[in-house]
């Protein structure tokens, strides 16, 4: 593929927030939820501008994965009502549905409870050219299962090493992985729960369990912090994004996905081969002006690179 704009180049216009200063990425010197700024925000006009630009890049990223037969996994974890669903909608709505799967993960069924807890996630991994989006994930073992007592201490303590080994196996098999945790305060969560209760279209999302879980906020904080510390690595860090402003969180999450999954990947669509364009010309008539010239130039560049690589190997 001819070189072009990279997935790490995510300039979306003037006055873009300094994203990395506004949310926490795991560092070797530790992590605490208290490090997460609660005031990260963006105004409505800038939000719309950046959202459109980032969604354009998401489309290009998916096409690059299709063209290059890459496979990516996007994990969303976070507090209830932190905004996971809204981000996933803005992510998946601009993608070709044939090459992206969204997996809403709930409690395992009877069969899955008889298997190793990672088994059901192995079955849901994307194929080459696809993206898999997990709305909650295998990290439930060290979050809800730990706090609610669905896994005993021995099981969830063992899970950190199991998860790290699992993700190393994914990386070795060519998977690209991005892990996002959305953080809000208990006050913001309470406000959003009340908004759900007042909205007939969202009322179904609020359950008695959601209310009871608030009594264990401190236990969940401990579990989240230990998860981030023990399952992050320089090449697979947790990105802990403040979601007190849903608009900021959406932009930060999309940007993180593009930067992480698109690192080193050209987002420039490949040109058709000259042979294919000759065939298209014969079958369809005139082709767009200049396309054949561009295709021939790209083919010549690729041949030159291949020749240089071959000469280097001989030397």
């Amino acid at each position: 593929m001819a070189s072009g704009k990279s997935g790490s180049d995510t300039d979306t216009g003037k006055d873009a927030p300094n994203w990395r200063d506004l949310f926490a990425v795991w560092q070797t010197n530790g992590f605490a939820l208290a490090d997460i700024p609660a005031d990260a925000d963006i105004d409505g006009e800038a939000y719309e501008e950046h959202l459109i630009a980032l969604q354009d890049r998401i489309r290009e990223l998916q096409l690059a994965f299709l063209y290059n037969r890459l496979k990516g996994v996007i994990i969303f974890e976070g507090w209830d009502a932190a905004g996971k669903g809204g981000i996933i909608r803005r992510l998946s709505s601009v993608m070709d549905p044939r090459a992206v799967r969204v997996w809403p993960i709930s409690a395992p069924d009877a069969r899955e409870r008889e298997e190793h807890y990672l088994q059901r996630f192995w079955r849901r991994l994307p194929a080459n050219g696809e993206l898999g989006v997990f709305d909650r994930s295998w990290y439930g073992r060290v979050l809800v299962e730990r706090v609610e007592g669905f896994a005993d201490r021995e099981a969830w303590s063992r899970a950190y090493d199991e998860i790290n080994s699992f993700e190393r196996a994914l990386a070795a098999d060519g998977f690209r992985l991005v892990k996002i945790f959305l953080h809000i305060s208990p006050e913001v969560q309470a406000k959003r729960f009340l908004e759900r209760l007042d909205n007939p279209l969202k009322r179904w999302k609020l359950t008695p369990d959601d209310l009871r879980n608030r009594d264990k906020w401190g236990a969940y904080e401990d579990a989240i912090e230990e998860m981030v510390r023990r399952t992050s690595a320089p090449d697979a860090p947790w990105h802990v994004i403040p979601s007190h402003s849903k608009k900021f969180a959406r932009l930060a999450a999309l940007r993180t996905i593009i930067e992480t999954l698109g690192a080193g990947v050209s987002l420039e669509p490949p040109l058709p081969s000259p042979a294919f364009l000759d065939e298209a010309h014969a079958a369809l008539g005139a082709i767009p002006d200049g396309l054949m010239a561009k295709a021939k130039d790209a083919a010549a560049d690729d041949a030159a690179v291949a020749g240089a690589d071959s000469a280097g190997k001989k030397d």
Side-chain angles (χ1 to χ4, degrees), residues 132-303:
V133 181
F134 287 83
D135 183 354
R136 302 206 182 276
S137 68
W138 44 89
Y139 284 98
R141 174 64 58 143
V142 296
L143 292 176
V144 64
E145 292 185 32
R146 164 182 167 167
V147 175
E148 302 299 332
F150 301 137
D152 60 33
R153 175 176 286 275
E154 180 182 357
W156 62 255
S157 296
R158 185 175 64 246
Y160 298 108
D161 289 337
E162 293 171 340
I163 289 171
N164 288 332
S165 296
F166 175 55
E167 292 181 358
R168 282 194 297 269
L170 295 183
D173 197 42
F175 286 88
R176 290 171 173 246
L177 176 67
V178 57
K179 303 186 293 192
I180 292 172
F181 186 93
L182 300 178
H183 178 59
I184 54 175
S185 68
E187 293 78 18
V188 168
Q189 187 190 67
K191 178 182 176 182
R192 292 182 183 173
F193 279 177
L194 287 172
E195 291 171 352
R196 287 182 177 181
L197 195 60
D198 192 46
N199 185 337
L201 297 179
K202 293 185 177 182
R203 198 171 293 154
W204 63 272
K205 299 173 72 174
L206 186 63
T207 70
D209 285 341
D210 295 328
L211 303 179
R212 286 193 291 268
N213 289 346
R214 288 174 55 79
D215 293 334
K216 302 176 181 178
W217 194 275
Y220 274 105
E221 285 185 324
D222 291 342
I224 292 162
E225 291 182 348
E226 186 167 5
M227 174 194 76
V228 171
R229 289 194 297 265
R230 296 186 62 178
T231 62
S232 283
D235 58 347
W238 276 101
H239 303 265
V240 185
I241 296 176
S243 195
H244 304 85
S245 163
K246 289 185 179 180
K247 291 180 178 179
F248 171 83
R250 291 165 187 166
L251 299 184
L254 293 181
R255 185 180 176 91
T256 297
I257 290 165
I258 295 165
E259 289 183 346
T260 304
L261 295 187
V265 178
S266 172
L267 301 189
E268 194 72 30
L271 289 164
S273 70
F276 177 79
L277 289 178
D278 283 337
E279 185 177 348
H281 183 274
L284 305 174
I287 60 175
D289 292 343
L291 185 56
M292 177 62 82
K294 291 180 181 178
K296 288 181 177 179
D297 288 344
D301 290 343
D302 290 343

